[in-house]
């Protein structure tokens, strides 16, 4: 007989289960309470924990222009806070703390008003009193009260630290801060989409060269061990951080600025939606300027132009008539026709497999009979499409293979994220995909720049190959990696194709492109000072819904070419997207090309007045203040009679010396000899110094020296 008495045991089990259930609910409830209501408190507790090992971030590398000018660099920024409970461990400390704030409050607020004029002293006072009176965990005063809502630079931070109470030690006065590594571009928005940017305070790249070379620029984190000795913590370096390397780009600041201004001026004139300009060096493929302007609107609805997307490498569209050069180059390279081949364009309208092909002047009677060369000069749609359809209609695959061969379809393998290779499809009549289906009309319309998808960077690389006698270069954006002033890696120019077509075909095309500007539709792109070669393009493009006829017609206007035509140095493409008429590739994009080419060549011809020297005379050199004995020795040996007046520097460790007019080396020597640390800003001579000469030297004093060429 079983001894188990369910009447006695089961109630006990049930009671235990109920108790455990309530305990479980209590644990879950407490956890939810800690996660929600007490979240801020435990977050602050966690932030105060002292870790044994702390990661030390390295300095991010700089991005430089081709001539060494800073285009992106890292500078420290700060958010400043006040701990109103600092130094109030007992009642006596609390009384002393409150009385000190009562005495210094007005002077602090007046000082903050001088540093941040946007906020009055009264507003600062009410803001600080709010933080001081805020209840936190049963204690009066916030422990992390923001003094200013935004980040401030180093100079402003130093000014704030000079205020009463704020200059006291952290645990006594309560003033503390957070340091951020902010990325700055000295030239503002110049080449912004190509140079790139970071995500706010995080050392995380968003786009451009910042993203493509992030691992090189970022460097390697270091490690710091924190050890408690008596009542203090000592920072013991375990592994020093390795700063990121600098990258030297191919961008020329002067050319970039010139191209941006020329493009924006034209966009404003014609009310364009978008514009792209790329300037390449012919022999190396170096991208000297790359502009991506899109129309934006400010808070008042006023339009302005800024770089929002790198359309130069990512915006694939139907290129229009600039593509005709590739079509005719294929025909010339295959030898199916030459420039003397005559096309009967008639009155400017011709039926092509059931669709009407029209020239731009069909309303004025067309071009009648013209040869191949002339059809490219005047950008005749009928002339180009007739030749390609006649010689490749029975074998369109051969034509597309020819396009691949001449490099217009080449994947450039650019280092920039967002690049899209060209899309030129092979003939396929069996596919069910309408976008890929090859019909009878595909070939003639493809030959004049439709039914293909090509980004401007590919078009300019193709034209650059023609200017370079058939050698196709990969567009180069970065030349060198520099670490501690030494070149650690050199990026040599890359040849993608040694020869895109036979030399005879290239030479013929060079002559035709020169005639397009001298006697064709590209006259406005030309110059009176040097020869220009290129091709215009005007194409209708689809809207965002894929339609060409949705009310307002959109046009893609372009001009691609090179200069000087007799000895090519630079290749350039200008593309503009606009709605409605008038729309002319030669008359709008060609004008921008003209301004860019004229400006670039003018920069190369620019002479300095200092160059106008008499070779028989002896000029007094430009001598900076500093080591006057060395300077006098050099001038005596050069037999220079009229010596410049040099200020003899007083050598004293007690006062800050006057280093204005000195070079960097002498200025640093003079300052550090007086016991002052130095931060150099800029290049050339010392224009000004942050600490006035004659000021008494104090321990740890740091002086900023502002240099100027």
């Amino acid at each position: 007989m079983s001894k188990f008495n369910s009447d006695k045991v089961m109630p006990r089990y049930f009671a235990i289960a109920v108790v455990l259930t309530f305990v479980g609910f209590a644990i879950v409830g407490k956890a939810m309470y800690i996660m929600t209501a007490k979240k801020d408190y435990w977050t602050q507790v966690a932030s105060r924990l002292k870790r044994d090992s702390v990661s030390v971030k390295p300095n991010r590398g700089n991005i430089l222009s081709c001539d060494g000018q800073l285009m992106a660099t890292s500078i420290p920024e700060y958010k400043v806070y006040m701990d109103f409970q600092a130094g109030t461990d007992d009642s006596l400390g609390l009384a002393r703390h409150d009385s000190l704030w009562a005495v210094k409050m007005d002077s602090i607020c007046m000082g903050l008003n001088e540093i941040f004029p946007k906020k009055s002293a009264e507003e600062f006072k009410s803001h600080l009193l709010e933080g001081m009176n805020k209840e936190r965990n049963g204690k009066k005063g916030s422990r992390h009260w923001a003094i200013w809502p935004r980040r401030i630079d180093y100079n402003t931070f130093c000014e704030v630290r000079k205020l009463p109470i704020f200059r006291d030690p952290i645990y006594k006065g309560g003033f503390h801060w957070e340091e951020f590594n902010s990325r700055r571009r000295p030239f503002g928005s110049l080449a912004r989409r190509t140079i790139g940017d970071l995500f706010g305070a995080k050392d995380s790249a968003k786009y451009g060269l910042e993203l493509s070379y992030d691992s090189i620029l970022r460097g390697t984190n270091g490690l710091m061990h924190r050890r408690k000795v008596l009542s203090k913590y000592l920072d013991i370096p375990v592994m020093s951080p390795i700063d990121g390397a600098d990258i030297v780009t191919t961008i020329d600041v002067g050319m970039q600025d010139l191209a941006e201004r020329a493009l924006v001026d034209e966009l404003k004139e014609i009310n364009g939606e978008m514009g792209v300009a790329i300037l390449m060096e012919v022999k190396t493929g170096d991208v000297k300027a790359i502009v991506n302007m899109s129309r934006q609107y400010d808070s008042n609805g006023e339009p302005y132009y800024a770089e929002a997307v790198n359309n130069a490498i990512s915006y694939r569209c139907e290129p229009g008539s600039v593509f005709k050069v590739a079509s005719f180059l294929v025909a010339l390279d295959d030898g199916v026709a030459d420039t003397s081949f005559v096309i009967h364009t008639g009155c400017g309208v011709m039926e092509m497999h059931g669709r009407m092909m029209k020239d731009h002047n069909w309303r004025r009677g067309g071009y009648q009979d013209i040869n191949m060369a002339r059809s490219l000069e005047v950008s005749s749609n009928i002339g180009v499409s007739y030749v390609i359809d006649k010689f490749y209609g029975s074998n369109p695959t051969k034509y597309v293979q020819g396009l691949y061969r001449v490099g217009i379809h080449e994947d450039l393998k650019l280092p920039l994220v967002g690049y899209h290779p060209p899309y030129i499809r092979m003939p396929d009549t069996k596919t069910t995909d309408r976008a890929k289906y090859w019909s009878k009309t595909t070939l003639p319309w493809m030959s004049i720049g439709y039914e293909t998808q090509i980004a401007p960077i590919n078009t300019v690389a193709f034209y650059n190959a023609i200017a370079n006698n058939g050698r196709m270069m990969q567009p180069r954006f970065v030349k060198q990696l520099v670490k501690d002033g030494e070149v650690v890696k050199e990026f040599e120019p890359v040849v993608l194709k040694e020869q895109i077509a036979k030399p005879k075909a290239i030479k013929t095309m060079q002559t035709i492109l020169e005639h397009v500007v001298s006697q064709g539709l590209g006259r406005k792109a030309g110059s009176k000072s040097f020869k220009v070669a290129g091709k215009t393009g005007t194409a209708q493009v689809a809207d965002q819904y894929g339609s060409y006829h949705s009310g307002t017609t959109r046009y893609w206007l372009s001009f691609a070419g090179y200069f000087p035509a007799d000895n090519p140095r630079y290749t350039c493409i200008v593309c503009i997207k606009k709605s409605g008429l008038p729309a002319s590739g030669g008359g709008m994009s060609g004008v921008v090309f003209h301004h860019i080419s004229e400006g670039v060549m003018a920069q190369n011809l620019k002479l300095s007045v200092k160059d106008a020297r008499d070779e028989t005379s002896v000029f007094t050199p430009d001598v900076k203040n500093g080591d006057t004995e060395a300077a006098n020795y050099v001038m005596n040996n050069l037999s220079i009679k009229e010596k410049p007046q040099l200020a003899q520097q007083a050598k004293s460790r007690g006062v800050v010396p006057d280093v204005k007019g000195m070079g960097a080396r002498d200025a640093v020597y003079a300052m550090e000899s007086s016991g002052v640390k130095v931060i150099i800003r800029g290049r050339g001579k010392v224009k000004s110094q942050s600490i006035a000469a004659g000021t008494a030297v104090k321990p740890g004093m740091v002086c900023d020296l502002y240099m100027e060429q």
Side-chain angles (χ1 to χ4, degrees), residues 361-383:
N361 68 336
W362 67 277
R363 297 182 187 276
R364 300 192 300 272
Y367 290 110
Q368 302 302 319
D369 293 344
I370 54 176
N371 59 29
M372 276 182 60
R374 184 60 181 167
S375 66
L376 206 58
E377 292 171 12
V378 297
S379 197
S380 170
N381 294 333
I382 295 175

Side-chain angles (χ1 to χ4, degrees), residues 245-476:
D246 299 339
I247 63 174
V248 181
T249 69
T250 60
I251 301 294
D252 184 285
V253 172
M255 295 181 184
Q256 179 74 27
D257 181 56
L258 173 68
E260 284 194 10
R261 286 188 286 109
L263 182 59
V264 170
D265 288 346
E266 186 66 20
L267 287 171
K268 291 179 179 177
E269 181 73 22
I270 65 174
N271 193 28
E273 298 176 14
M274 182 180 79
V276 167
I278 308 172
L279 182 69
M280 283 180 62
E281 201 169 62
V282 171
K283 299 300 180 184
T284 61
D286 286 359
V287 177
K288 310 304 289 185
I290 177 168
V291 187
N292 301 274
M293 290 296 170
S294 299
R295 187 169 60 198
Q296 311 289 323
Y297 294 92
D298 60 19
S299 57
N300 298 322
E302 294 295 324
Y304 68 96
Y305 292 93
E307 291 206 346
V309 180
N310 201 337
N311 292 308
I313 66 170
S314 62
Y315 188 78
R316 293 190 306 185
C317 68
E318 296 168 317
S321 296
V322 292
F323 189 83
K324 294 174 182 177
V325 175
S327 296
F328 266 5
L329 187 60
V330 171
L332 292 171
D333 193 48
D334 287 339
V336 297
D338 58 25
T339 55
S340 62
F341 182 81
V342 177
I343 306 105
H344 180 67
T345 64
C347 61
V349 180
M350 179 180 288
E351 184 181 353
M352 289 278 186
H353 306 289
R355 289 181 61 187
M356 304 308 293
M357 178 72 72
K358 296 179 180 180
D359 280 339
H360 67 91
N361 68 336
W362 67 277
R363 297 182 187 276
R364 300 192 300 272
Y367 290 110
Q368 302 302 319
D369 293 344
I370 54 176
N371 59 29
M372 276 182 60
R374 184 60 181 167
S375 66
L376 206 58
E377 292 171 12
V378 297
S379 197
S380 170
N381 294 333
I382 295 175
V384 177
S385 59
Y386 177 84
V387 170
I388 300 302
D389 190 62
K390 176 178 176 62
F391 295 107
Y392 296 97
S394 59
N395 187 10
T397 301
K398 183 180 180 182
Y399 166 74
V400 179
Q401 288 174 343
L403 293 177
Y404 288 13
R405 185 178 68 248
V406 300
I408 193 68
H409 183 264
E410 193 74 13
D411 184 354
L412 302 178
K413 298 179 173 62
L414 299 183
L416 294 174
V417 176
Y419 166 67
H420 295 302
Y423 175 67
I424 303 176
R425 67 185 190 276
M426 277 288 186
D428 185 1
T429 57
K430 297 180 180 180
T431 180
T432 57
D433 188 347
R434 186 177 178 183
K436 297 180 180 179
Y437 182 77
W438 189 277
S439 66
K440 286 287 186 180
T441 60
T442 301
L443 182 62
W445 261 264
M446 178 184 284
S447 68
I448 62 172
Y450 289 93
E451 305 204 26
T452 59
Q453 299 289 316
I454 301 176
I457 191 72
N458 281 90
T459 304
V460 76
F462 168 70
Y463 275 78
N464 193 75
I466 295 175
N468 202 21
N469 296 318
R471 173 179 285 189
M472 175 169 276
M473 307 300 297
Q474 181 188 46
R476 185 169 65 155

Side-chain angles (χ1 to χ4, degrees), residues 4-14:
F4 181 78
N5 189 343
S6 61
D7 292 337
K8 294 182 179 180
V9 174
M10 289 307 296
R12 297 173 185 171
Y13 279 135
F14 180 75

Side-chain angles (χ1 to χ4, degrees), residues 44 66 291 319 380 443 479 506 526 537-538 672:
Q44 289 186 3
C66 63
V291 187
S380 170
L443 182 62
K479 295 196 301 183
I506 293 293
T538 305
E672 293 188 348

